[in-house]
Amino acid sequence: MSRPRILTVFGTRPEAIKLFPLVHALEADDRFESRVCVSAQHRDMLDQVLAIAAISLHHDLDLMTDRQTLDSLTARALMGIGAVLDEERPDWVVVQGDTTTVMAGALAAYYRKIPVCHVEAGLRSGDIHQPWPEEVNRRMVGTFARLHCAPTRAAAEALLRENTNPATVHVTGNTVIDALEWVTKRIEEHPSLAQGLAGLEARFAGKRIIGMTAHRRENFGEGMQNIANGVKRIASRDDVAVICPVHRNPNVRAVMSAELEGLENVALIEPLDYPHFARLLGLSHLMLSDSGGVQEEAPALGKPVLVLRETTERPEGVKAGTAKLVGTNADTIVRETFRLLDDEAAYAEMARAHNPFGDGKSAQRICDLLAESER
Ligand code: UD1
Ligand code: UDP
């Protein structure tokens, strides 16, 4: 019998980060024929990951357009990925997470009765508008995936509460930890991969560094404005510096530039490649972020993260006390940040390395499940 052909489909930076360990594992495993398709829903931010992880592509749909709409991206991704599936006829389609590419790629597979393996399955905030539209994207994939790779027990339980067939639900850990371990090792072997922040490190010597990222759609407008105002007030202190790699979405850039450009204690910089972002996590005293991935990485490194969202589908960090939801109210963001800066006990309480998300072996577990599961 021929080896099962696995088509891994992704499109954005976080999917690429969380799937490169699996692509590496599939490529090294004789049991499979591994193929890769990117929608390129993101372009430069995706290419940064492809380059560092040395991922070769079999299909690049090059879909990203400036200020793309959800409708247009969804339609083009569905058509484009569908055509790739007709050409490749894979035995499995693997998707990760909850973006438009994930939803459209999984749907195209379902339309062809190709089994879907959903990595990072079972995350639920319980609110279809937060994160928007991701909560619905991942719920939709959860209704028809053949293999649900839940990162944590809580995520698996969420799937079981939705009457998902228990035989298809597995706790694999989150591949983000595999990715973080991989990049950490690469930096140890080749320190030059992460030395590009040296100028900022010198400029901000003696100050405590706060890393900040924000990009969620539901925060656009007032939320993003409040976050920027909060950061401005935090950066008025002499003892801190805020480093913000600014997401390329124009809705983020416009607000951040208008509020924060030129401030002495703020560095607005281009999106960092993964080794440099890992370096920023390491340098930072704490993180302010509305990102999903950062909520998983920061606790693993013992960095407190104040989550710039009203709710989270990743409660594990909050439960462990290493992450705290602070929302997008500027006063709350400033108050909670100052508390961590000024109250040593409060900081120590949060700055414990805690990693509820995985053990760095998730990709191998998913490979084994793909080999063993009925198609
Ligand atoms: C997308 C995902 C979100 C994920 C985030 C990760 C959806 C609906 N949203 O949001 O779930 O958390 O990626 O970052 O799937 N752009 C560039 N270069 C890039 C990337 C983006 O210029 O490399 C700009 C383009 O103008 C693009 C816009 O950002 O049209 C929005 O990109 P899009 O992928 O639609 O949304 P994100 O906000 O990035
Ligand atoms: N990241 C990166 N460079 C940056 C900012 C983030 O490599 O400048 C990484 C980060 O380590 C994490 C992922 O990108 O793994 C998170 O992506 P993002 O915040 O865009 O999306 P989300 O996780 O919220 O879907």
Side-chain angles (χ1 to χ4, degrees):
M1 214 174 88
S2 63
R3 297 180 298 166
R5 176 179 293 192
I6 316 287
L7 181 72
T8 306
V9 178
F10 53 97
T12 66
R13 169 174 67 191
E15 293 161 73
I17 289 174
K18 291 174 173 179
L19 281 174
F20 80 69
L22 181 57
V23 172
H24 287 170
L26 287 168
E27 278 171 359
D29 195 325
D30 286 343
R31 291 176 294 180
F32 307 110
E33 186 190 348
S34 171
R35 312 279 292 171
V36 177
C37 168
V38 296
S39 68
Q41 168 177 342
H42 282 176
R43 185 71 272 173
D44 32 329
M45 286 162 54
L46 172 73
D47 291 344
Q48 283 182 315
V49 187
L50 297 174
I52 186 73
I55 300 294
S56 312
L57 305 177
H58 302 93
H59 302 271
D60 183 344
L61 301 173
D62 199 19
L63 293 187
M64 195 195 85
T65 55
D66 192 30
R67 296 169 189 269
Q68 59 206 3
T69 63
L70 292 174
D71 300 11
S72 149
L73 179 64
T74 302
R76 291 179 296 119
L78 188 60
M79 296 292 286
I81 298 168
V84 170
L85 296 184
D86 289 338
E87 187 187 330
E88 289 280 349
R89 306 303 311 163
D91 296 294
W92 282 96
V93 166
V94 176
V95 292
Q96 187 284 335
D98 52 19
T99 68
T100 295
T101 295
V102 175
M103 184 265 290
L107 195 58
Y110 169 68
Y111 284 166
R112 289 162 180 76
K113 298 195 171 145
I114 300 170
V116 171
C117 168
H118 189 203
V119 177
E120 200 182 72
L123 272 60
R124 299 288 183 269
S125 70
D127 180 344
I128 59 165
H129 296 114
Q130 297 191 62
W132 175 78
E134 292 82 1
E135 176 78 1
V136 164
N137 287 345
R138 63 173 109 83
R139 281 198 214 179
M140 192 201 286
V141 180
T143 60
F144 57 74
R146 189 75 58 84
L147 193 50
H148 306 262
C149 300
T152 62
R153 174 129 305 278
E157 281 164 4
L159 287 162
L160 298 177
R161 275 198 301 279
E162 293 168 6
N163 295 325
T164 312
N165 176 357
T168 64
V169 178
H170 303 269
V171 180
T172 58
N174 196 314
T175 52
V176 75
I177 303 299
D178 302 36
L180 194 58
E181 287 185 2
W182 183 90
V183 82
T184 305
K185 190 155 171 267
R186 289 272 298 164
I187 298 168
E188 275 164 22
E189 288 162 1
H190 307 281
S192 62
L193 284 175
Q195 277 168 355
L197 294 177
L200 286 178
E201 290 175 43
R203 173 177 154 196
F204 295 139
K207 296 179 191 280
R208 282 177 290 180
I209 288 174
I210 297 175
M212 200 287 279
T213 76
H215 73 82
R216 297 242 72 87
R217 265 185 166 66
E218 65 273 16
N219 283 344
F220 289 172
E222 199 185 335
M224 203 56 73
Q225 189 65 52
N226 290 343
I227 291 171
N229 286 341
V231 169
K232 190 176 191 170
R233 283 162 57 188
I234 292 163
S236 66
R237 284 175 62 136
D238 273 348
D239 60 337
V240 299
V242 187
I243 299 183
C244 314
V246 186
H247 194 285
R248 286 229 195 274
N249 195 316
N251 293 298
V252 179
R253 297 219 137 189
V255 176
M256 294 301 158
S257 305
E259 266 322 302
L260 302 173
E261 195 78 72
L263 296 184
E264 193 184 335
N265 292 332
V266 177
L268 294 183
I269 58 176
E270 292 303 320
L272 293 168
D273 67 16
Y274 198 38
H276 282 97
F277 195 75
R279 173 78 185 146
L280 176 61
L281 285 169
L283 288 174
S284 295
H285 189 64
L286 63 102
M287 295 295 298
L288 296 176
S289 182
D290 68 5
S291 159
V294 174
Q295 285 178 65
E296 295 153 344
E297 293 161 337
L301 298 173
K303 303 292 177 171
V305 51
L306 297 179
V307 181
L308 306 170
R309 297 167 61 171
E310 307 298 338
T311 176
T312 181
E313 64 284 9
R314 294 171 170 86
E316 292 86 353
V318 177
K319 275 202 188 112
T322 55
K324 185 166 186 182
L325 284 175
V326 297
T328 56
N329 176 295
D331 289 341
T332 314
I333 295 169
V334 173
R335 189 183 66 241
E336 293 293 336
T337 304
F338 283 4
R339 196 169 82 90
L340 285 181
L341 290 169
D342 297 329
D343 180 342
E344 270 180 40
Y347 183 83
E349 185 61 26
M350 283 188 84
R352 286 176 283 110
H354 181 81
N355 178 4
F357 296 107
D359 60 2
K361 298 182 175 62
S362 304
Q364 190 54 52
R365 255 180 227 116
I366 295 167
C367 274
D368 293 342
L369 286 168
L370 282 167
E372 291 154 15
S373 297
E374 246 176 67
R375 285 179 241 152

